[in-house]
Each structure stands twice: as C-alpha cells, then as structure tokens.
Amino acid sequence: MIVIAIFFLGVLTGIIFKKQFKIFKYSETLTTISLYLLLLFLGISIGNNSEIVSNIGKIGIKGVLFAFASGLGSILLITPLYLIFGKGKD
Amino acid sequence: MLQSLKLLTVFIIGIVLGYFNLIPSFVNIDETSKYLLYFLVFGIGITISRSEGVLKIIKQYHLKLFLLPLLITLGSLGGAAVLGLFYQDITFQHSLGLGAGLGYYSLSSLMISQYGFKEIGAIALISNVVREISTLVLTPLIVKLFGRFAPIASAGATSMDTTLAVILKHTDKKNAVISMFNGVTLSILVPLLITMIYEF
C-alpha cells in the first residue's frame, strides 16, 4: 500500500513541478541507480540462499513458461478486438 | 545493449556475489532494498506524470481504447493462472503475481521480492524479460498469426518504449497511439495489481 501511495506522490510531484525540467533528469538518474542496486541486491539474496540456488535451472524454465503463458493469454483475449476493430480502417 | 539485458547481467553478478558470500557487511540488504524501492516507485511516478498526452488520446479515440489494456491484463492473469495449475509449488496468488508483471520486469519482480517471496520474484524477473525479448524477436510472426494488435498484447507495458519501434515497423503507424496508450495504462496497473494480489 505504501508503494502505491509513493507512486502517486511521484505522479503528483511531476504534475506540480512540470515546468522544472531538471526534476525529470534527476528522477531518471534516481530511478536508474535504484533499479540497478535493487536488482544487484535481489541477485545477492538469491545467490546467498542455497535452496534457491540449487533450483536455479527450474526457476529459469518457470520464468520462460510463465512469459509464454501470460503473453499468449493476452494475445488470445485481444483477438476479438482485432477482428472487430483492427482489420478495417479505424 | 538493451536495458533489460544490462539489468539481467547485474542481477546475475549479484547471484554470483551472493553465492560466494561476497556481501558488503555494512549494508543491510533487505532494509536498503525497501527504501530503494520507494525511490524507484517515486521516480516512475514522476516519469509517468509526463505522459499527459494520454488524456488527449482518450478524448480523441473514445473509451473503447481502454478495452485493449483491460483484455491484455485479463489475458496475462488468466494465462499465468492456467499455467500455475500445473505447478504444485506455485500458489494461485503467485500465479497471478507472475501474470501481473505485464512485461514490466523491474517493478513486478522487485515488489514481489519485497513481500518476502524471493524465488517468485526471480521467476517474475526472468518471465518479464523473456516476454520483452520474445516480442522483439517474434513480432513479425505474431503479426502474421494474430494481427496488428497482437504484438502490443505480448509486449505488455513495454509497448510504449522498448518494443514500440519493432511493433510499428511490422504493423502500421496508426498503431503508435494505441501502443503508447497501452504501455502507459499497463505501467500504472502493475503496482496496483501486485498490491491487490498480495495485500487483499
């Protein structure tokens, strides 16, 4: 819940300070640095967990399978939209 | 190099460091991650606030534009839920969590890890990176089989940035607006969905 609140605080900040272009540069730097550190830390805590490490192959396969299941699910559900709106000119 | 691949590399470096116990002892990784996630989400919020053109798009194109991200979301959740039935060690909640990434690899995996589910977080990371990369590679085939909206569906949240060029190249210019709108909507939905799945 906190994450959602902070997310919308960010949106609000962006709207309030939209004329100050520097803020977007700062936020991009902030986002990039936190992203890299977070993934590094996620990697570290996974590598440090012997139970997860011994399953790493299975984790990879699950990742690939869930990618295709969710992607295919999305494609199948939007197919009616394509048949109704997508074929002709809009 | 694609940002997702760079991030994946950093993630793998982390695994190696963790495996050999090369962990800087002055950082409390879990505590620091919590605050870093707050910074990240704040920054993402600021970035999304810039896409105010979206409101104009909605006025111009009608509310039916929302049908696309809505069905894409339901399809992802449904597809993941069905696959989850075949895994005894993945609960329904986690299946939904894996579907709710919508191709947004960083956010969903980090939020899921933050709830304490590191292994599912790792699966989510891989799954969403694969979803992005396979869209980049398979778009010509996807368009041929399922039509011009389909690569937007498989791209998910990335249809507004990393996969946009490929989608437009293999479909048509009219798809640009739809694709951008879809990406923004899904990016906003990811944190909302993950919170709902794991907190309610």
Side-chain angles (χ1 to χ4, degrees):
Chain A
M1 220 52 200
I2 303 175
V3 170
I4 300 296
I6 295 176
F7 174 73
F8 283 109
L9 199 67
V11 176
L12 204 64
T13 310
I15 292 171
I16 294 171
F17 296 101
K18 69 174 169 194
K19 298 252 163 70
Q20 263 114 333
F21 290 107
K22 266 189 183 163
I23 194 179
F24 296 114
K25 246 179 96 182
Y26 291 144
S27 88
E28 213 180 290
T29 316
L30 180 75
T31 315
T32 311
I33 294 173
S34 350
L35 191 52
Y36 277 95
L37 280 177
L38 277 164
L39 285 173
L40 182 74
F41 289 170
L42 179 59
I44 288 177
S45 54
I46 283 169
N48 205 27
N49 183 325
S50 54
E51 203 184 318
I52 299 184
V53 171
S54 61
N55 275 328
I56 205 90
K58 278 187 192 149
I59 289 177
I61 294 170
K62 280 178 188 162
V64 173
L65 290 179
F66 271 96
F68 286 109
S70 62
L72 197 63
S74 292
I75 290 177
L76 290 179
L77 278 207
I78 59 111
T79 301
L81 276 190
Y82 167 68
L83 296 175
I84 298 167
F85 299 114
K87 280 190 150 172
K89 287 173 183 163
D90 45 314
Chain B
M1 190 158 127
L2 212 62
Q3 202 200 12
S4 60
L5 290 181
K6 284 188 204 162
L7 289 163
L8 203 60
T9 311
V10 170
F11 172 68
I12 292 168
I13 292 173
I15 294 181
V16 174
L17 289 178
Y19 184 73
F20 292 106
N21 240 324
L22 300 168
I23 306 165
S25 55
F26 53 89
V27 235
N28 178 334
I29 284 184
D30 285 337
E31 192 70 7
T32 317
S33 296
K34 192 168 96 189
Y35 293 105
L36 283 173
L37 182 65
Y38 295 162
F39 282 128
L40 176 71
V41 172
F42 186 71
I44 293 173
I46 290 183
T47 309
I48 282 181
S49 74
R50 285 182 88 176
S51 43
E52 53 185 330
V54 168
L55 285 177
K56 282 182 205 144
I57 297 174
I58 299 173
K59 277 186 198 147
Q60 203 183 336
Y61 272 78
H62 244 276
L63 281 173
K64 71 181 174 203
L65 204 53
F66 275 108
L67 281 175
L68 194 68
L70 178 75
L71 290 173
I72 289 174
T73 306
L74 292 177
S76 282
L77 293 172
V82 170
L83 177 62
L85 294 176
F86 295 93
Y87 283 109
Q88 285 186 333
D89 52 340
I90 298 181
T91 62
F92 182 61
Q93 183 186 39
H94 288 319
S95 298
L96 291 182
L98 289 168
L102 304 173
Y104 203 158
Y105 48 88
S106 49
L107 198 52
S108 68
S109 59
L110 293 169
M111 281 183 77
I112 293 171
S113 315
Q114 198 63 51
Y115 285 113
F117 308 111
K118 296 264 157 72
E119 187 170 331
I120 300 293
I123 299 174
L125 177 70
I126 295 165
S127 158
N128 289 299
V129 171
V130 169
R131 192 161 162 178
E132 178 188 358
I133 294 171
S134 56
T135 302
L136 288 173
V137 178
L138 299 177
T139 286
L141 180 71
I142 295 173
V143 174
K144 213 171 178 179
L145 291 175
F146 302 100
R148 52 190 273 261
F149 294 157
I152 302 178
S154 75
T158 64
S159 70
M160 67 173 178
D161 40 48
T162 46
T163 55
L164 181 61
V166 178
I167 294 172
L168 296 187
K169 191 179 161 198
H170 294 281
T171 58
D172 51 276
K173 288 243 165 60
K174 276 184 296 182
N175 249 353
V177 174
I178 303 170
S179 197
M180 302 267 284
F181 175 77
N182 178 64
V184 174
T185 311
L186 294 186
S187 303
I188 295 171
L189 272 179
V190 171
L192 295 176
L193 284 172
I194 302 274
T195 304
M196 284 200 290
I197 291 167
Y198 284 95
E199 289 188 29
F200 298 117

